[in-house]
Amino acid sequence: MNSSIIHSLAIGTSFPKSVLVSGAGGQTGQSLFRKLLALPNEFVPTGIVRNEASKKKLIESGGVPADRIVVADVTDADAMKTAVEIATAGEGEELAAICICTSAKPAPTEDIDPETGRPVFSFPIGNPEVVDWEGQKNQIDVAPSACHIILCSTMGGTDPNHPLNNLGKSKTGEGGMIVQWKRKSEVYLMEQEGKTYTIVHPGGLLNEPGGERELVVGVDDSMDTTESRTVPREDVAQVMLEAIRCPTIYGGRSFDLIAKLVG
């Protein structure tokens, strides 16, 4: 079945769908949020941002109505329950999908590692255990039974020694482990009975236009058909949007996503 037929079948169902997008102030989450807002006949999206400053910045960037943004801390279970209530208020139907785009964000400190000569990283706005495990678990827990949970995670989960796990880790081995905590959230999601899920493991995220490269899907970090290990954020967002459209096709799937090199 070609993509145009699938799309036609998808939009023939009851619309618009109420969708909650966390991390809507970030890059990948914002890309998805804007794509959904641009399709009002299909979706009624609500974006979750971390604080009022993030909300203000998103509004000032243009094209995002203030009444479609909710300020909520995903590490606060009660705040997430309220966000779901706001997302479905007045729409007359349950939440169709929660798109989890939150992630702990590493940032370089002023310190230099004497052994490597590289900057020491930290997680100034929340460490991975809190954001990528506890915060994502809260989002999974508040999802209604009929809700499709679409999680944007990362490649690298099969490698316990992945370099990303070292970011923010102290000399005593505490902290960091972002890929590990993301994987723990994935396992928790897959173990939930009766909840439809889709888990996307993007490669290295690029701030480049989407739709210009051939996308490659795989599992277990194995991508033998291309040397590329990257993918534009726009393409990741589009894949997540298609998952919302077609839960029967994307549901129950966990896959890696990269894009071939241009040319």
Side-chain angles (χ1 to χ4, degrees), residues 192-238:
Q192 302 304 298
E193 294 185 7
K195 289 188 177 181
T196 302
Y197 69 85
T198 301
I199 301 171
V200 183
H201 302 130
L205 295 166
L206 301 175
N207 295 321
E208 295 181 1
E212 297 183 356
R213 302 199 202 185
E214 180 182 347
L215 298 181
V216 180
V217 172
V219 294
D220 296 332
D221 298 319
S222 178
M223 292 290 188
D224 297 332
T225 60
T226 177
E227 295 180 359
S228 172
R229 288 295 182 271
T230 60
V231 61
R233 295 178 188 275
E234 291 284 338
D235 286 327
V236 177
Q238 187 63 41

Side-chain angles (χ1 to χ4, degrees), residues 1-11 17 148 150 196-199 217 239-255:
M1 184 179 293
N2 65 40
S3 59
S4 62
I5 295 176
I6 292 173
H7 176 62
S8 297
L9 290 173
I11 62 176
K17 289 184 175 181
H148 185 184
I150 304 167
T196 302
Y197 69 85
T198 301
I199 301 171
V217 172
V239 168
M240 295 180 73
L241 186 150
E242 297 301 335
I244 304 170
R245 278 176 168 160
C246 308
T248 57
I249 296 173
Y250 285 83
R253 297 182 183 273
S254 175
F255 55 88

Side-chain angles (χ1 to χ4, degrees), residues 101-124:
C101 299
T102 48
S103 176
K105 186 176 181 179
T109 66
E110 296 180 354
D111 297 328
I112 300 295
D113 187 323
E115 296 179 4
T116 64
R118 297 176 180 175
V120 175
F121 281 77
S122 68
F123 291 91

